[in-house]
Amino acid sequence: MSSSIIRPYGDTTGDGMVQVSFTLPIPHDKKAEGAALQLARKMGLEPAMLVHAKSMGEGFTFFVVYGSSTHLVNLDDVHVTEREYPLLSAKDVNLAIKKTLRRKLVVVGACIGTDAHTVGIDAILNIKGFAGEKGLEYYREITVVNLGAQVLVPELVEQARAEKADAVLVSQVVTQKDAHIHNTTQMSAAFREAYPAGTVPVLIAGGPRFEDGSEAALGVDRIFGRGTTPGEVASYLVHEMTTRKGMHP
Ligand code: B12
């Protein structure tokens, strides 16, 4: 077996063991448990063990299944977006902005649509930061305008214009019915409509469930996912600023 082919690991190397959880729309009984195992088999878990089943209100059952996956992963077929810019210290970010823009870089952030999950965007923007890193408010050369939760797109566009935003950072945590995709696409379209071509601020979307590499489909410049730190975002802003040879006046 080539070293680029791998299998999950549970008890012994290469045993393929994985654990999955899901809910079926049926009451908890023996038949429901059989249905969960049938689904597990169809997902390629063979043999599969039902390790947990619990009624989730009337007519629904939650399951946890542990089993050996019959699928293999070929690492040669795994394609991801690698970070193409260096991680800079806060000092270097400040220096780069000062040198390139000769003014502060303005960032406007918000949770858009009905989304009220502000912890993620606050982790990036608030001075207290995330994972031991200070947020963008800490950077001397960055002005942060955090609009908070449930901001409607027209309001975001208006604020971005009023603040002369160089970059707009939106957070989308709720993904039910693809709300994050609809809201982000609507947002990017609204910016393209409101600004003359070539002057749209850098559009950044963040949240735990955006698909890697979906920037073009969403109409944004960059997506940041789970575990993003403020330093990564600040470094990206410098990279973008340098690539664009400055931002807008
Ligand atoms: C805290 C929380 C809440 C709090 C939010 C408080 C607040 N002020 O934010 C409260 C109790 C209000 C809440 C409410 C609801 N919640 Co809630 N909530 C959570 C919970 C437990 C944690 C989210 C969180 O704070 N994570 C920590 C932060 C740091 O992580 P993060 O958001 O991923 O952010 C990081 C990255 O994604 C990225 N990032 C995020 N945004 C951005 C933006 C930019 C620009 C950048 C660069 C990076 C970036 O950087 C961050 C740092 O690394 C999650 C479950 C979970 N464990 O994730 C559910 C969860 C998100 N909630 C959920 C739901 C369903 C709801 C409700 C609809 C429940 C209800 N029926 O009322 C409501 C919706 C309210 C609303 N209108 O939005 C679901 C969403 C399911 C889905 N698929 O959409 C989850 C996943 C729980 C679940 N498993 O069902 N919730």
Side-chain angles (χ1 to χ4, degrees):
M1 189 190 281
S2 144
S3 60
S4 62
I5 305 289
I6 56 165
R7 291 191 81 192
Y9 160 86
D11 302 320
T12 52
T13 309
D15 62 11
M17 296 308 281
V18 299
Q19 183 168 297
V20 293
S21 62
F22 51 86
T23 302
L24 290 180
I26 38 176
H28 182 200
D29 56 18
K30 277 284 180 204
K31 191 160 179 140
E33 295 191 358
L37 285 172
Q38 186 191 104
L39 178 65
R41 270 193 300 277
K42 287 184 175 171
M43 288 193 294
L45 302 185
E46 186 81 67
M49 266 180 292
L50 188 68
V51 293
H52 181 70
K54 193 172 188 335
S55 177
M56 298 288 286
E58 215 174 300
F60 292 89
T61 311
F62 175 72
F63 302 95
V64 179
V65 171
Y66 184 58
S68 179
S69 169
T70 50
H71 301 294
L72 303 171
V73 175
N74 186 347
L75 292 178
D76 294 338
D77 295 337
V78 176
H79 306 289
V80 294
T81 317
E82 300 283 1
R83 180 167 45 78
E84 72 281 26
Y85 53 90
L87 275 186
L88 305 176
S89 67
K91 194 173 153 213
D92 287 342
V93 167
N94 285 329
L95 274 174
I97 296 173
K98 213 169 174 176
K99 203 173 132 209
T100 315
L101 291 187
R102 293 197 198 88
R103 61 167 173 80
K104 293 194 179 191
L105 182 129
V106 181
V107 159
V108 170
C111 271
I112 57 169
T114 57
D115 207 327
H117 293 86
T118 48
V119 180
I121 186 90
D122 287 347
I124 304 300
L125 298 181
N126 286 4
I127 193 160
K128 68 181 179 201
F130 181 69
E133 287 184 15
K134 301 269 194 210
L136 300 190
E137 282 177 356
Y138 170 76
Y139 291 67
R140 210 184 43 236
E141 298 298 328
I142 300 182
T143 299
V144 173
V145 182
N146 187 345
L147 302 176
Q150 301 191 325
V151 176
L152 300 176
V153 167
E155 194 188 326
L156 178 68
V157 174
E158 198 184 308
Q159 287 290 327
R161 292 175 77 119
E163 301 288 347
K164 296 191 167 52
D166 296 295
V168 174
L169 277 64
V170 302
S171 183
Q172 286 289 271
V173 174
V174 173
T175 58
Q176 285 161 336
K177 297 187 179 149
D178 282 342
H180 61 312
I181 295 174
H182 299 309
N183 289 339
T184 306
T185 317
Q186 191 204 351
M187 181 276 298
S188 62
F191 272 94
R192 276 194 300 276
E193 203 177 303
Y195 283 74
T199 66
V200 178
V202 178
L203 300 179
I204 300 177
R209 294 194 189 176
F210 280 109
E211 199 182 324
D212 201 25
S214 60
E215 280 89 350
L218 296 170
V220 298
D221 295 290
R222 194 77 177 195
I223 287 167
F224 285 93
R226 264 179 298 117
T228 303
T229 65
E232 290 173 318
V233 181
S235 303
Y236 169 72
L237 287 170
V238 167
H239 165 76
E240 194 62 25
M241 179 182 76
T242 326
T243 319
R244 291 185 182 203
K245 298 194 174 52
M247 296 283 186
H248 320 112

